[in-house]
Amino acid sequence: TIYNEEGKEIIPENAPSITFLSFTVLMFGTGFWFADVMGDSIVAEKAKLEIQKGQIQSMCYACRFFGLMTAAPFSTYLYHSHGASSIVQLMAFLPLIILPTLWYLSEIRNAPVSSTREQCNEIWNTVCSRAVWQPMGFVYLYNILQVSNGAWKNFQIEVLGLTFTQLNLIMNVAFVLLYFGVMAYKYYFIKWSWRTIYIGATVLNGFFSACQILLIYGITFGLSNFWFSLGDDALAEFVSGIQFLPTTIMMVHLCPAGSEGASYAMFTTVNNSAMNLSAAISTRLLPIWDITLETLRKGEKSGILKLTLLTTALQMSGVLFVRLLPRTKEDLVTLGSESSRSTRGGTIFLLVTFGSILY
């Protein structure tokens, strides 16, 4: 950041334009998601062959979140010591290291590939099955109800007095506990019922939201605002780590043979579109009460309190749909063998998915 003689922040002369920056971010995101879909497809195809379901996925995602856990503090250090350009350069260089490992990727050359029409027909037959649209309907409804408090970061800065360095530290610790949450599921909770996981996670998230209410009233049991916020946000990420894997394991089981990549990409799109729509709903809720920066600085807390209560109620209401979710992998298989096709269910499933993406 550069400041003039009056102490006001100014834009550097060599700063990229918004248009150029937006274009590079678009290109980076496009390449990233191409690679992400390819990696998910490989994992999904391999996971269909394993005897003890979920082990490959839990290991792959554990490695992924381990990288996230280690990269976050390193990125924070680089940003504060060398600026944003060093991070951009590193992001451009690191993917090149992966290229030599492609020689060790075993794949069948010139394998027969179904036509686009055939794959679309296979996906259509898949989504018409109750074993698909019912559990994925739960995933969509649950995720869309996980509406966050869009004003909470402003409250932490303006009222609680947390600095950006402290917020980065909270994020780093949260990534660490997210990794431990994934590992906890891999080694302990993997045999638990999916419904039990979701119910327990929802109740715990409600508890952590109640801790936010305590912060609003200034009740921290002798801890500073930073340490209380650190424990609240970080432990919430630990719960998210435990809750993350059951959904991905279930989606692999729903993929038909031969179309694992396309099917898994569609299921993850349902999951991600619901979360993105949830973020949009969070933004729409902000004008309901007066939670502007000026209001927060004056110490008026009624708006942020009401918004916290509303978002907490919405998040916990997702548990009302848990009966749509099979208890275990075996129940999912049973549901698939017993259920008949429903054209209406498949149509609604696709309309909601594409409608969410367009929104």
Side-chain angles (χ1 to χ4, degrees):
T1 305
I2 299 178
Y3 299 91
N4 59 15
E5 296 178 355
E6 298 176 356
K8 295 182 179 180
E9 185 177 346
I10 60 175
I11 301 176
E13 295 182 359
N14 59 345
S17 65
I18 297 298
T19 303
F20 177 76
L21 181 62
S22 301
F23 177 76
T24 55
V25 171
L26 173 63
M27 290 296 99
F28 172 80
T30 302
F32 176 84
W33 288 112
F34 267 125
D36 185 72
V37 171
M38 182 201 68
D40 285 341
S41 301
I42 295 174
V43 174
E45 186 174 351
K46 185 68 174 178
K48 296 279 286 186
L49 304 176
E50 63 179 340
I51 299 176
Q52 188 175 356
K53 304 296 183 182
Q55 291 296 325
I56 291 179
Q57 285 178 279
S58 59
M59 176 58 69
C60 291
Y61 281 110
C63 294
R64 180 176 182 172
F65 288 127
F66 178 80
L68 186 65
M69 176 186 71
T70 54
F74 183 58
S75 175
T76 301
Y77 166 76
L78 285 179
Y79 181 81
H80 286 287
S81 59
H82 300 286
S85 61
S86 62
I87 299 176
V88 175
Q89 293 170 6
L90 191 62
M91 291 171 64
F93 171 73
L94 283 179
L96 300 178
I97 302 177
I98 305 175
L99 291 179
T101 63
L102 295 179
W103 294 103
Y104 299 96
L105 181 63
S106 177
E107 61 177 335
I108 301 175
R109 300 286 182 176
N110 302 319
V113 179
S114 302
S115 65
T116 303
R117 183 185 181 90
E118 292 173 339
Q119 291 194 46
C120 288
N121 288 333
E122 184 67 33
I123 292 176
W124 168 247
N125 292 328
T126 300
V127 299
C128 286
S129 172
R130 184 184 174 188
V132 172
W133 58 258
Q134 177 177 311
M136 289 307 300
F138 166 78
V139 171
Y140 183 88
L141 290 171
Y142 187 90
N143 284 338
I144 202 173
L145 289 170
Q146 301 309 299
V147 181
S148 61
N149 188 337
W152 186 248
K153 282 291 185 291
N154 288 337
F155 178 79
Q156 288 180 309
I157 296 171
E158 299 297 334
V159 179
L160 300 183
L162 300 185
T163 65
F164 287 105
T165 301
Q166 289 175 324
L167 290 177
N168 280 336
L169 182 58
I170 290 175
M171 179 190 68
N172 293 336
V173 175
F175 284 152
V176 173
L177 289 188
L178 178 65
Y179 167 75
F180 282 112
V182 172
M183 297 303 292
Y185 181 84
K186 173 178 172 60
Y187 290 107
Y188 183 68
F189 295 105
I190 195 169
K191 295 183 179 180
W192 283 35
S193 163
W194 291 341
R195 291 184 183 180
T196 302
I197 294 291
Y198 268 93
I199 292 173
T202 304
V203 171
L204 287 175
N205 280 331
F207 171 77
F208 294 130
S209 294
C211 291
Q212 291 184 347
I213 297 174
L214 293 178
L215 266 175
I216 294 174
Y217 281 110
I219 303 173
T220 59
F221 305 103
L223 298 173
S224 66
N225 291 332
F226 167 70
W227 286 109
F228 196 90
S229 298
L230 175 65
D232 185 35
D233 293 358
L235 289 175
E237 286 299 316
F238 176 79
V239 175
S240 299
I242 297 175
Q243 189 181 11
F244 174 79
L245 280 175
T247 303
T248 60
I249 293 174
M250 180 184 69
M251 288 190 291
V252 165
H253 286 282
L254 299 177
C255 295
S259 301
E260 290 89 350
S263 300
Y264 193 79
M266 184 186 65
F267 295 148
T268 54
T269 299
V270 173
N271 183 72
N272 295 334
S273 64
M275 290 191 293
N276 290 334
L277 190 56
S278 174
I281 295 174
S282 174
T283 303
R284 293 288 184 178
L285 294 179
L286 293 177
I288 297 179
W289 294 286
D290 186 6
I291 49 176
T292 59
L293 291 177
E294 292 74 14
T295 302
L296 293 176
R297 288 166 182 166
K298 292 178 182 177
E300 177 58 47
K301 301 178 180 179
S302 61
I304 191 71
L305 175 62
K306 293 175 182 177
L307 183 60
T308 301
L309 291 173
L310 175 60
T311 54
T312 300
L314 288 174
Q315 290 171 11
M316 297 197 67
S317 65
V319 78
L320 299 176
F321 302 97
V322 76
R323 291 181 65 87
L324 295 174
L325 185 68
R327 290 184 176 85
T328 61
K329 299 182 286 290
E330 291 73 23
D331 287 349
L332 182 64
V333 174
T334 303
L335 182 63
S337 60
E338 294 179 353
S339 61
S340 58
R341 295 179 72 255
S342 172
T343 303
R344 180 182 301 178
T347 302
I348 295 175
F349 177 87
L350 292 179
L351 287 177
V352 170
T353 300
F354 290 112
S356 301
I357 295 173
L358 293 175
Y359 182 85

